Every structure is written in structure tokens, then in C-alpha cells.
Amino acid sequence: MQKKSLKWFLIKNFMAILFFIYIAETLLGILYRQLVFPSLTEVLELQQITVSSGGSLFLFMIRLLLFYLVSLLPSGAADYLQGILTDMAGDSMPIRISSPFYQGWQGTLLTVMFLFLLLLLLGLSLLPYIAGALRYYKIVTLKVNELLEEEKERQLAFDRKRSLLLSDIAHDIKTPITTICGYSKALSEGVASPEKSRDYLDAIYGKAMRIDELITLLFEYVKLDSEGFCLHKKSGDLAELLRESVAAFYTDFEEKHITLTVDIPEYPVPCEMDSLQIERAAANLLTNALRYGKDGGRVLVRLKNHTISVADNGRAIDPDFAARIFEPFSREDTARTTKEGSGLGLSITAKIIEMHGGKLSLNSSFGEGYTKAFQIKMPESSRSQFPVA
């Protein structure tokens, strides 16, 4: 989108510059024909100045310029080069400026003044082109600097969010590692009772799984953005894949006393997809609903017209955060405070769906008693621009 808008910006300004050049050249031509050339002709006639040469005005002034430059050389070289120029151009090249009122050095001065006048007229005729080129150069330079500044700001914002997230992840990893080290030391030294040993082992297992989750998400995000990654797309049944994904989370929703409503058609929903990646995307949305849904709440999983909806009646998402929710390393302030999530799950999901030619969106007005819904729109016939194995 940005490339298309940049192309349109350059084309639009280029056409505007051409229109300016055309108008300026037309007005200058009218000025020359109506005022400059009649006045010049009148002065030449009053002073009985005659100028003879063939060809167009532009070639006429070029010839004057060449002869004048050559005349600055020593007399022998000037005569030789003027002879060559005359032979090359034929009879139309010789230029003579004469008047009975100007002889000797006055005649030479007249020739120089007339040449400068013609050069001035030539410069004025080229002025619209020069002004247009300089204006276009300034417009392009300002636009490039603006884009570079925007890119710099985006990169700085990205680096700030990444640094914050990496700091949080380092803390999230360090905390369970500290717990694991403390409990494992207690177990190895035999200072814990049998009842406590069981609790310590459960805590160690839970903390290890948290570390595994964080590292897995980081690995998946880096892998999706790495050069050479490609999808392994095949024709599959989107309905069956979604049913299997939901089935894997039934126990988790029951433990949190969340009512899970499933609205998936019984008939096959054909879709060209990388089943592993789409299953991961669906799992991320279900995990998100499980993590941020309230205890005793409701979650809806629906598949309709190749659109997967995962809705819940948990806390609504702040509009400011909703605008950047799919950006990598984005976490809401409350999530950062409570150390929930990693800020990568939705970004990974959005990237997977984008690679399939689909779109992930947040619907804050889903209705039916739900506060929000994440929706995946899959193309009926995927034609992805990303590499496919």
C-alpha cells in the first residue's frame, strides 16, 4: 500500500510540474512574440543593425554561442575552428552582425552585447524547465526525507517495544528459573517433607512449562520472519481442523468454568492451507480466550463462510491498544503488570494468516453478549504471495 501511494505521489507531482512547464512556456512564448521580439526588431531597424543566419531561433543562438566562444581563441585558431563550423553547418552557419553606426571596437562591443542578449533570451526560455526540475527535486527530496524519518520513528518504536518485551521475557524466564533452582536444591538436600516434595515437583514442572512456552513463541516468531521460510499448503477440511483444535482445549476451559459454545458445520469446508500453521493460529486464539476470559464466562468458536470467530465476554480491549494489538511485542499495560502473555501470540497468528492470503481482525462489536471476537478470514481459494513448498 505504501509503495502504491508513493508511486501515485511521484506521478501526481510529475504531472503537475509538466503542466507548470507547459503554462510557463506558453506564457513566455506569448511574451516573446507580443513584446520582446517586436521591440528588438524595432531597435535593430532604428540602429540599422543586420543579423543574418539560417535555421531556427534555438539553432541560431547556439551558433552565435559557438562562434563567440571560438572568437575568444587566438586569431589563427579562431579562424580555423570557425571554418570547420562553417563547413559542418553549410551556408546557414555564418553569422554577421553589422551596422553603419558601429565600426571598429564599437562593432565588436555590439556583437558581444547582442550575443549576451540572445543568451539571456535562451536562458529565459529554459527557465521553466530548470525551475520545474529544481521544484521536482525538492519535492522528491522532502518526500524521501519524510519517509526515512517515518521509517526511523517506526524502527525506534519497534526497538523500544522489543527492548521492553525482552526485558519482561528475561524477567519471566528468570523468575521461574529462580523457583526451579530453589526447589530443586531443597529436594536434592532432602530438607523437604514428602508432602512438600510433591508440591515442589509440581511447581518445578509448572515453571518449566512456562519457560518452554516463552521459548516456543520466540522461536515461532523468529522462524516466520526468517528468510527461506515457506508454507506447506495442501487441500484440507477447515471445519475438521478447527474441531480438533477446540477438542484439545475442552479440559482447560472446564477447569476455568468457562462455557464453551462450538458452532462448526458438520459438512467439510475445503481450504488450501498449511494445516500445522493454521492449527497453531487457532490454538493461539483459543489460548488468548482462555487466558483473558473471566472465570465462569463464555467463549464462542464459530466457523462460517471461511471465517473463524473466537469470541468471549471477558474484559473489553482498550481502543488505543486495539489499534496496535497485532504488532509484534505489543502488550496491554494490565497484561504487562500481571505478566500475562508474551505479546507475540497474536502477532504470530496475524503473520500466519497473512501468509495464507487471509486476514486476522478484532471485532469489538461482535454482539450476542460477547465483548470482543478475534476473526480469521480465510480465502476460499488461497493464492498466497509468500513462498510455498
Side-chain angles (χ1 to χ4, degrees):
M1 183 62 69
Q2 187 177 20
K3 289 183 178 180
K4 291 178 67 175
S5 62
L6 178 60
K7 288 180 181 178
W8 170 243
F9 173 83
L10 295 176
I11 292 173
K12 180 179 65 175
N13 282 277
F14 183 73
M15 296 302 294
I17 294 296
L18 288 182
F19 181 72
F20 161 77
I21 292 174
Y22 171 75
I23 295 298
E25 189 179 41
T26 301
L27 294 176
L28 196 59
I30 295 173
L31 178 66
Y32 277 9
R33 289 192 297 271
Q34 300 296 326
L35 180 62
V36 176
F37 288 146
S39 301
L40 182 60
T41 301
E42 185 176 348
V43 171
L44 293 177
E45 289 177 352
L46 287 175
Q47 299 297 319
Q48 297 184 25
I49 298 173
T50 60
V51 181
S52 61
S53 180
S56 65
L57 174 64
F58 181 78
L59 291 178
F60 172 63
M61 289 187 284
I62 292 297
R63 291 167 189 162
L64 285 177
L65 176 62
L66 290 175
F67 265 77
Y68 174 70
L69 293 176
V70 169
S71 68
L72 298 177
L73 299 174
S75 58
D79 294 340
Y80 175 74
L81 291 176
Q82 284 181 340
I84 293 178
L85 292 174
T86 301
D87 293 339
M88 290 174 60
D91 295 336
S92 62
M93 177 60 83
I95 300 171
R96 292 175 294 277
I97 301 175
S98 61
S99 171
F101 301 129
Y102 302 94
Q103 302 293 332
W105 67 270
Q106 292 181 330
T108 301
L109 181 62
L110 173 66
T111 301
V112 172
M113 292 177 62
F114 193 78
L115 286 172
F116 273 113
L117 175 62
L118 292 177
L119 287 174
L120 177 62
L121 294 177
L122 175 61
L124 290 176
S125 65
L126 295 176
L127 189 60
Y129 297 95
I130 297 173
L134 291 176
R135 176 60 181 168
Y136 191 67
Y137 170 78
K138 183 177 180 180
I139 290 173
V140 172
T141 301
L142 289 175
K143 187 63 177 179
V144 169
N145 290 337
E146 178 185 338
L147 293 175
L148 290 175
E149 190 64 28
E150 290 178 359
E151 180 63 27
K152 182 180 178 181
E153 288 296 326
R154 281 195 296 268
Q155 186 62 42
L156 288 174
F158 177 84
D159 290 341
R160 284 194 295 268
K161 287 188 290 185
R162 182 176 59 183
S163 297
L164 179 60
L165 176 73
L166 291 177
S167 175
D168 287 345
I169 288 178
H171 181 273
D172 288 351
I173 292 177
K174 180 177 176 58
T175 300
I177 287 178
T178 301
T179 303
I180 290 172
C181 290
Y183 287 170
S184 60
K185 182 176 178 61
L187 290 172
S188 66
E189 293 178 352
V191 297
S193 64
E195 294 79 9
K196 285 291 185 180
S197 297
R198 183 64 182 179
D199 293 338
Y200 287 174
L201 289 173
D202 290 340
I204 289 173
Y205 175 77
K207 299 299 183 181
M209 292 303 296
R210 173 59 178 164
I211 295 174
D212 180 71
E213 178 190 0
L214 290 170
I215 294 176
T216 299
L217 282 172
L218 283 173
F219 173 75
E220 290 300 328
Y221 180 78
V222 172
K223 184 176 71 173
L224 286 174
D225 265 355
S226 64
E227 186 177 352
F229 176 80
C230 61
L231 299 174
H232 299 274
K233 294 169 65 176
K234 296 179 182 178
S235 296
D237 183 359
L238 187 59
E240 180 62 25
L241 182 145
L242 187 57
R243 273 193 294 269
E244 292 176 357
S245 298
V246 173
F249 282 82
Y250 266 123
T251 304
D252 297 316
F253 282 107
E254 286 180 354
E255 289 179 353
K256 203 170 180 181
H257 306 291
I258 294 177
T259 301
L260 181 61
T261 303
V262 180
D263 183 11
I264 301 174
E266 296 297 330
Y267 54 83
V269 179
C271 183
E272 186 182 358
M273 59 186 172
D274 185 327
S275 298
L276 179 62
Q277 297 300 329
I278 295 299
E279 184 178 0
R280 178 172 287 115
N284 285 344
L285 294 187
L286 291 168
T287 300
N288 191 76
L290 183 66
R291 175 172 289 152
Y292 298 105
K294 61 183 180 180
D295 289 350
R298 297 186 300 125
V299 169
L300 168 69
V301 179
R302 175 179 291 165
L303 175 59
K304 183 178 181 181
N305 299 328
H306 284 79
T307 297
I308 300 172
S309 301
V310 179
D312 67 73
N313 65 340
R315 180 173 51 84
I317 295 177
D318 182 80
D320 292 335
F321 176 65
R324 63 179 193 280
I325 193 169
F326 299 123
E327 294 179 5
F329 312 116
S330 292
R331 291 202 295 179
E332 204 168 2
D333 291 338
T334 54
R336 182 177 294 113
T337 302
T338 58
K339 300 299 178 184
E340 293 179 318
S342 64
L344 286 173
L346 290 177
S347 178
I348 290 172
T349 303
K351 185 66 174 177
I352 290 173
I353 301 307
E354 179 189 353
M355 295 177 75
H356 280 80
K359 183 180 180 181
L360 173 64
S361 60
L362 170 63
N363 187 351
S364 298
S365 56
F366 184 79
E368 302 181 31
Y370 297 99
T371 54
K372 61 183 177 296
F374 289 96
Q375 295 181 297
I376 294 174
K377 175 62 178 176
M378 292 291 291
E380 296 186 18
S381 179
S382 181
R383 292 291 182 269
S384 175
Q385 60 182 331
F386 294 88
V388 178

